[in-house]
Amino acid sequence: MRVCPRHPKGYPCTCGMGRLYRFVEPVLLLLLKEKGRAYGYELVSEVPALAMTDAEIDAAALYRTLRQLEKNGCVTSEWNTEHSGPARRVYALTPRGEEHLAEWVEVLEHMSKSMTRLVMSARVELGKNDGRSRIQQRLAGVANGPA
């Protein structure tokens, strides 16, 4: 697990994991873990099935993410010239990439729990029509200090 000076020990933080461009990085790592090796265009076509957004994933951003993963030692690439036509770059996951995927799983599990708490609280609040909301009560408690 990453150590972050801004968070308590054992906190699954995303600091230092780079920009979270639509969470493409963990999806790429997972696809490469499943496939072993893959061409960039294969990954471009398969990312949307696992992406955490309905927005279109920009292919250029995906290739930038692959280059960054390679720079960080999580992915390797080589040119494949065995087929007719132009050479194509094939990507593979490294042991460091597998570790990084495990870090992402931890972070995403934490975020999933946090999002579930938020959604559940919002549903409770949306169902209320009387008095102050729990959020207002919490804010009032913080402003008034401990009882």
Side-chain angles (χ1 to χ4, degrees), residues 112-131:
S112 175
K113 290 174 186 173
S114 297
M115 289 169 55
T116 297
R117 282 192 307 271
L118 173 67
V119 169
M120 290 174 66
S121 293
R123 285 187 175 150
V124 167
E125 291 304 316
L126 290 170
K128 289 183 178 180
N129 290 324
D130 58 327

Side-chain angles (χ1 to χ4, degrees):
M1 181 185 313
R2 293 179 180 273
V3 177
C4 175
R6 291 189 277 179
H7 297 99
K9 185 177 180 175
Y11 184 86
C13 103
T14 58
C15 298
M17 293 186 92
R19 290 181 38 216
L20 304 179
Y21 179 77
R22 297 192 177 123
F23 296 99
V24 170
E25 189 174 287
V27 173
L28 288 170
L29 294 169
L30 177 60
L31 287 171
L32 288 171
K33 173 74 174 148
E34 290 174 351
K35 293 176 152 303
R37 296 167 52 91
Y39 295 110
Y41 70 86
E42 287 177 272
L43 297 169
V44 168
S45 68
E46 293 184 31
V47 161
L50 294 171
M52 294 177 235
T53 179
D54 292 331
E56 186 176 330
I57 304 296
D58 178 48
L62 187 138
Y63 282 107
R64 279 192 303 275
T65 302
L66 283 167
R67 281 193 298 279
Q68 189 63 45
L69 285 167
E70 188 170 17
K71 182 179 174 185
N72 293 339
C74 297
V75 168
T76 59
S77 71
E78 59 186 38
W79 290 103
N80 183 340
T81 57
E82 294 175 6
H83 299 88
S84 61
R88 299 182 292 178
R89 191 175 291 270
V90 63
Y91 297 89
L93 192 65
T94 66
R96 172 65 193 115
E98 203 165 323
E99 291 171 8
H100 194 45
L101 176 58
E103 292 171 341
W104 266 114
V105 168
E106 202 170 316
V107 166
L108 293 171
E109 283 176 340
H110 175 75
M111 292 178 74
S112 175
K113 290 174 186 173
S114 297
M115 289 169 55
T116 297
R117 282 192 307 271
L118 173 67
V119 169
M120 290 174 66
S121 293
R123 285 187 175 150
V124 167
E125 291 304 316
L126 290 170
K128 289 183 178 180
N129 290 324
D130 58 327
R132 294 186 315 172
S133 72
R134 268 190 355 204
I135 293 171
Q136 290 170 324
Q137 291 170 5
R138 276 190 228 131
L139 291 174
V142 169
N144 295 333

